[in-house]
Amino acid sequence: MNLERFLSRSVQSVPPSGIRKFFDIVSEMKDALSLGVGEPDFVTPWSIRDMGIYSIEEGHTHYTSNYGLLELRKEISNYLKRRFDLNYPNYREQILVTVGASEAIDIALRSIINPGDEVLIPEPSFVSYKPCTIFAGGIPVEVPTKAENDFKLRADDIIPKITPRTKALILSYPNNPTGAIMTKEDLKELVDVLKDKDIIVISDEIYAELTYEGEHVSIANFPEMKDKTILINGFSKAFAMTGWRLGFVAANEVFIKAMAKVHQYIIMSAPTFSQYAAIEALRSGAAEVEKMREEYNRRRRYMVSRFNKMGLECFEPKGAFYVFPSIKSTGLSSEVFAEKLLYQQKVAVVPGTAFGSCGEGFIRCSYAYSIETIKEALDRIEKFVTNFKAPTHSQETQKNSVVVEQ
């Protein structure tokens, strides 16, 4: 019996994540190093862990409100005002606690998309945006960004993509995979285009705390965009809480009510002990976040310098914990470069095409690893690049199947 015929067409149409392929190989490869995982190498700060443990010991093991603990929503409201000057004072109805930012992205799309609605997705971008749009019945519309613009989204990039069917724009800065950020001036250019249009902005700001030049600015900081913006954030990246699975949404009451409806049917509520830990994170975690940010910044500068010195041009990312160097000088495609590097030097990176077709010619490398691991991995990459001799006229080059000489 062909059981695949019972599967949803939308699910069948979505390929597996382009990231997982390499990590499955690395997990079974002796002495392999990975620069591919987008997860902090730091352990969750002790005071946060302790509060999670204490909440269990105190018997807080039941469901919370669908919206999340009221105490946590109040702390999120205070945090957004304190750190980013974002005003969501009605925390009872303007904030929803989710199972990570990933659930928030999913239910935001499901709450606003009707079949056939178009969603503008700037690329390169996080791998979940397209599939979640498709699962919600929408049509993803790729909006390529360019290296010469430091992968910032420009008004000229989105204007030609807007149609009467455009329902939403996903804005993801600081960006995964490029590390690009958007300044207030950059965002103003987009606001001038969007303010009079019936387009909702889903702003994924999970890396907001990991901004290395200036302060993070949200499109929701613009009064004319606040009610049309669904702001998503969480605790995984800044507070090193990936395994706790906790995120949140801040938005107009209309959107939060709709998202809470989806959330209550598919999730019920986010993990209770994680919510208590998050309260502690927001109250006392700022110093630990700063320590981690300083260390990421040190690694960031080192990694950018090393890539440029070895001849792989790398623009300076000013947010998140990724660099996105160009490998075009090797003559290899992103996929082939990553495969050959893995098998010949035992270093895993992610091909840029995992994040959209405009990622061709680039690789993503995470610096959420110890400086020792980063140094060793970059030594191996430099050896690979140095030893590589790309023919300029062979048929093999055209097919991206150049043999690396050891």
Side-chain angles (χ1 to χ4, degrees), residues 106 109-110 113-115 131-138:
D106 180 32
L109 287 163
R110 286 206 261 176
I113 296 301
N114 291 309
C132 285
T133 298
I134 293 170
F135 296 154

Side-chain angles (χ1 to χ4, degrees), residues 4-16:
E4 289 186 356
R5 65 191 176 91
F6 295 105
L7 299 179
S8 159
R9 285 189 294 273
S10 64
V11 172
Q12 287 182 299
S13 72
V14 174

Side-chain angles (χ1 to χ4, degrees), residues 98-107 126 128 132 232 245 247:
T98 59
V99 180
S102 294
E103 188 217 342
I105 294 163
D106 180 32
I107 64 175
F126 179 48
S128 291
C132 285
I232 293 171
R245 307 312 304 132

Side-chain angles (χ1 to χ4, degrees), residues 8 52 139 207 231 279 294 355 385:
S8 159
I139 300 172
Y207 293 99
L231 186 152
I279 292 170
E294 288 176 357
F355 308 98
V385 172

Side-chain angles (χ1 to χ4, degrees), residues 367-398:
Y367 47 90
Y369 294 89
S370 70
I371 194 67
E372 292 76 20
T373 297
I374 291 171
K375 286 179 178 179
E376 173 61 24
L378 290 174
D379 286 345
R380 295 186 192 184
I381 295 173
E382 185 169 13
K383 181 180 178 182
F384 176 80
V385 172
T386 301
N387 290 346
F388 177 75
K389 298 178 180 178
T392 59
H393 57 277
S394 75
Q395 189 175 10
E396 285 186 325
T397 300
Q398 296 173 12

Side-chain angles (χ1 to χ4, degrees), residues 65-81 86-97 226 248-253 256-257:
S65 158
N66 295 140
Y67 285 79
L69 290 169
L70 187 62
E71 187 178 6
L72 174 57
R73 284 180 280 152
K74 182 177 180 180
E75 288 299 330
I76 290 170
S77 174
N78 293 339
Y79 166 76
L80 290 174
K81 176 62 178 176
L86 291 164
N87 293 298
Y88 293 93
N90 183 13
Y91 51 85
R92 293 174 180 269
E93 298 177 307
Q94 291 181 318
I95 292 172
L96 173 67
V97 180
K226 185 186 174 189
F248 62 85
V249 186
N252 181 278
E253 292 89 340
I256 292 295
K257 184 177 181 180

Side-chain angles (χ1 to χ4, degrees), residues 15-23 127 131 335 338 349-356:
S17 168
I19 297 178
R20 300 313 314 171
K21 170 183 175 181
F22 293 92
F23 301 138
V127 296
E335 184 88 9
V349 298
V350 183
T353 47
F355 308 98

